[in-house]
Each structure stands twice: as C-alpha cells, then as structure tokens.
Amino acid sequence: MSKQEFDVKHKIIVSAKKLFSELGYDGTSVRKICDEAGVSLPLVSYHFGGKENVFLAILEQLSKLPYFPETGDPKLDLQNYLEVYISFYRQERELSQIIRQELAMNSARSDKIISFIQATTDKLKGILENGRDKGVFKFESTSNNVRFILGCLTMTFSKSEVLEILIGQTDSSNYPIEKEVFDFIYKAIRS
C-alpha cells in the first residue's frame, strides 16, 4: 500500500470514528464521512467496501490492546489490567463512546463489538477468580464484580455532559486517575 493510500484510509477512519462517536452509526452516512475526511465518495468503497467495514476497521484497534503478562500476584495483575485499560481508553475516547452507544442500544453491531472485547472481560474474570482463590480478594459473585469494575471504568471515561452537570467540573488534583480507580476497586474486593 502506498503512502497516499495509507493516508486516505487513515483520514477515513479518523473521520468515521469522530462522526460515529458524535452522531452514532445510524446517524453517520458515508457522505458525511467523506466530507469530514475531505475525500471523494468512491474511496470508501474502494478501500473498505462500505460503512460497515469502516466500522470494523475502527474496532480492529481493540485487538491491539496491550496486555501485561500475568505475574501470579492478583493485586499486581489487577493494577496492571486497570492501568492498560485506562490508558487505552484515555487515548481512545471516541472508540469508548462508540462502544458504549452501540452496546447500550443493543445494535446490530453489538455482537461484533462483543467479539472484540470478550478477551478483555475474560482477562478480568481470570484475575478476579485467581485473587479469590488465593484469598487476596473477597467477594461472592465474579460476574457482579466484573460488572461493577467495568461500570466504574466506563463511567470514568464517559463523554457525558450530564455527569459534568451532576458532579461539577473535575478537580485539578494531580493524583493519577489510574491510582485512584485501582484504590477504589481494590478496597472494595480485598479480603
């Protein structure tokens, strides 16, 4: 692929990600993507074959989510997991918004999203179960704790004006959010 082709594909993906996060998948047309990217309409079909494949190309970023190797120390594994998750979604706020929108609507694309994020959820389940088995974590339901943790993470990076209205402007604390989220979650599940 030439640099020019790569640049066009990149422009299309960046523009589509922005529009999908703002307008949703159904509210975003191929024409809007092309206008935003400054490219001609046939280039989406040429490079991707249509809007759904552009969407899938955006989701491909989820397969690049880095993982720290498990250390066997449940506390450290949970901390590493949260740091990677938070770092990725801090950099990919638009992708996070797209995922939340699509899953909340149980859209026709939800199954595709789930197939990309299932490994992430399974990783968290494994860390929690290992910690419970070793007596480091104490909780009754793995699925409820996965739900609580993912909910906490999701809301932490939610692009919601409603949250800002409810809680006010975020404080200017220099305390890293990764540490604060870990401390919050760890205190809830430690034995």
Side-chain angles (χ1 to χ4, degrees):
M1 176 185 319
S2 73
K3 176 159 175 23
Q4 184 179 7
E5 287 177 320
F6 177 82
D7 289 345
V8 167
K9 284 181 79 169
H10 182 71
K11 283 181 185 179
I12 291 169
I13 288 173
V14 168
S15 297
K17 188 167 33 168
K18 176 182 182 279
L19 292 169
F20 289 153
S21 74
E22 292 173 356
L23 307 172
Y25 180 87
D26 293 330
T28 301
S29 67
V30 173
R31 182 170 303 284
K32 284 180 185 174
I33 294 169
C34 292
D35 289 347
E36 179 76 23
V39 300
S40 65
L41 199 59
L43 286 174
V44 170
S45 292
Y46 175 76
H47 287 291
F48 296 97
K51 182 169 89 167
E52 184 164 340
N53 288 335
V54 174
F55 186 81
L56 292 174
I58 291 168
L59 291 183
E60 281 292 325
Q61 293 174 286
L62 293 170
S63 64
K64 297 175 184 157
L65 186 64
Y67 289 108
F68 288 96
E70 290 188 31
T71 66
D73 175 350
K75 181 179 177 182
L76 183 57
D77 289 344
L78 179 62
Q79 186 172 3
N80 289 341
Y81 175 91
L82 294 172
E83 285 175 2
V84 168
Y85 191 102
I86 289 168
S87 175
F88 183 80
Y89 283 102
R90 177 180 274 159
Q91 294 169 15
E92 291 293 338
R93 288 183 186 263
E94 291 169 331
L95 179 58
S96 178
Q97 179 71 10
I98 292 166
I99 292 168
R100 277 194 305 278
Q101 288 171 352
E102 295 293 320
L103 293 178
M105 295 184 320
N106 195 23
S107 76
R109 293 155 302 282
S110 292
D111 288 344
K112 289 179 176 71
I113 292 170
I114 289 168
S115 71
F116 278 100
I117 62 175
Q118 188 67 57
T120 304
T121 304
D122 291 345
K123 180 79 140 176
L124 179 57
K125 284 181 190 175
I127 292 168
L128 292 175
E129 289 169 352
N130 182 38
R132 183 175 57 192
D133 293 347
K134 290 184 173 183
V136 176
F137 304 149
K138 184 177 181 178
F139 56 85
E140 295 298 321
S141 168
T142 302
S143 61
N144 282 342
N145 278 276
V146 168
R147 186 176 291 116
F148 298 148
I149 292 169
L150 293 179
C152 175
L153 293 170
T154 299
M155 291 310 291
T156 299
F157 296 101
S158 178
K159 183 178 147 188
S160 171
E161 291 77 29
V162 173
L163 279 179
E164 296 305 317
I165 291 168
L166 291 172
I167 62 175
Q169 295 294 343
T170 55
D171 62 33
S172 58
S173 168
N174 288 333
Y175 195 71
I177 193 163
E178 294 87 347
K179 176 86 172 109
E180 202 153 7
V181 170
F182 172 75
D183 289 347
F184 179 78
I185 291 169
Y186 182 67
K187 285 175 186 172
I189 62 172
R190 72 176 180 216
S191 55

